[in-house]
């Protein structure tokens, strides 16, 4: 992690910029963080003019993000989040805001990425039981003057970003269509810079859309963002490697549904007649990059719930096993190296050995699952 500490003048400039634009700093929490990243967090209390708290990191910008030589955004940033005046940071129902502020400071340096306007993060479940908000976007903060939140310092350009929570429908729309289009759709300004756990949604799923969304178990869209933002130097088709591996395993074990086989059976025959069964193009073009629960029969669905469900708390997890396999192939040092950008699974050679090695892993988990089912029956 490349570190360039703020000079005394820079820190004074930052505090001046914060107080001129966001409010008077009333308190600074020192050395907040974990692992190798510790920084301060400034707290701005509610006022008559701005009746909400604002928490702002102080020190994230001392660490350079992985920029991919993109001159359109800064390699240095500080993050902020605004909270209503009745927000209780000591209540476990409210700590998610500070937790996510700190998690977002950690991500670029651990996963060799960088933030820019419109960056999206998905929590995959509501932040707590009192809200359905489940995702975050980084936007330019609201400023007193026409400014994107960019502060030019003597040693760096420092970009401030506001963390704004989103609902799943909004996140999905922004992921597919861009954050700008979501904001254009939000004519009633429902997306608020101050966290409102019960705000109205900009758009809602229809019953059909909700059913389709709940049917997705994994999607290339969940991985393509990191692929492009990190400048992964492998063919894009590698995004579909692990999806194709699981689909092939399900096919060979007769776990595909009758409806799926009616729709794609002839195409599968074409692929299975090849020396090496490579289903990646089928997943990418015919299945639109998605693996869906409805592709599988009843037994397959139950096994998926056990082994391939992002919402199911279980030690056996297929995407996790893919990552563990990559770590075993590359070794721990290279796995965590900047070269692989914490996306080592995309750099694996997609060949029969990869499939057979993962087949052995999946078979082992499947047999374990069967034994657990048998023990429940007894």
């Amino acid at each position: 992690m490349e570190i360039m500490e703020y000079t005394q003048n820079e820190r004074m400039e930052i505090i001046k910029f914060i107080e001129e634009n966001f409010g008077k700093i009333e308190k600074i929490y020192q050395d907040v963080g974990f692992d190798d990243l510790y920084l301060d967090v400034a707290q701005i209390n509610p006022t008559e003019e701005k009746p909400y708290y604002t928490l702002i990191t102080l020190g994230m910008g001392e660490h350079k993000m992985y920029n991919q030589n993109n001159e359109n955004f800064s390699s240095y940033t500080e993050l902020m989040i605004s909270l209503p005046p009745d927000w209780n940071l000591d209540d476990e129902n409210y700590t998610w805001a500070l937790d996510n502020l700190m998690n977002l400071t950690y991500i670029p340096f651990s996963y060799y990425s960088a933030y820019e306007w419109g960056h999206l993060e998905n929590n995959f479940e509501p932040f707590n039981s009192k809200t359905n908000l489940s995702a975050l976007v980084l936007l330019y903060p609201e400023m007193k003057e026409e400014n994107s939140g960019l502060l030019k310092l003597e040693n760096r350009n420092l970009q401030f970003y506001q963390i704004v929570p989103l609902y799943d429908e909004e996140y999905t729309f922004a992921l597919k269509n861009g954050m700008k289009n979501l904001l254009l759709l939000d004519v009633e300004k429902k997306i608020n810079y101050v966290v409102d756990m019960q705000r109205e949604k900009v758009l809602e799923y229809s019953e059909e859309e909700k059913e389709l969304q709940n049917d997705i178990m994994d999607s290339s869209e969940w991985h393509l963002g990191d692929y492009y933002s990190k400048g992964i130097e492998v063919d894009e088709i590698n995004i579909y490697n692990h999806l194709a591996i699981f689909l092939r395993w399900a096919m060979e074990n007769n776990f595909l549904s009758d409806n799926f086989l009616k729709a794609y059976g002839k195409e599968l025959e074409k692929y299975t007649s090849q020396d090496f069964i490579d289903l990646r193009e089928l997943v990418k073009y015919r299945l639109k990059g998605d693996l869906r629960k409805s592709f599988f029969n009843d037994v397959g669905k139950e096994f998926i719930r056990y082994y391939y469900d992002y919402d199911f708390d279980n030690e056996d997890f297929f995407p996790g096993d893919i990552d563990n396999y990559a770590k075993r192939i590359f070794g721990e040092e290279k796995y965590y190296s900047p070269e692989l950008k914490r996306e080592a699974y995309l750099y694996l050679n997609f060949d029969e050995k990869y499939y057979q090695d993962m087949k052995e892993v999946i078979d082992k988990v499947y047999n374990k699952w069967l034994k657990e089912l048998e023990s429940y029956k007894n």
Side-chain angles (χ1 to χ4, degrees), residues 299 365-375:
V299 177
V365 175
Y366 177 67
N367 289 326
K368 174 186 172 184
W369 175 66
L370 288 178
K371 288 180 181 177
E372 289 182 6
L373 288 180
E374 193 63 33
S375 67

Side-chain angles (χ1 to χ4, degrees), residues 144-162:
K144 286 186 175 179
E145 299 179 3
E146 197 66 32
N147 185 307
S148 65
L150 182 67
L151 174 61
K152 295 185 177 181
L153 299 169
E154 57 184 302
N155 292 321
R156 75 206 84 196
N157 290 335
L158 184 65
Q159 178 67 59
F160 286 79
Y161 286 115
Q162 182 92 27

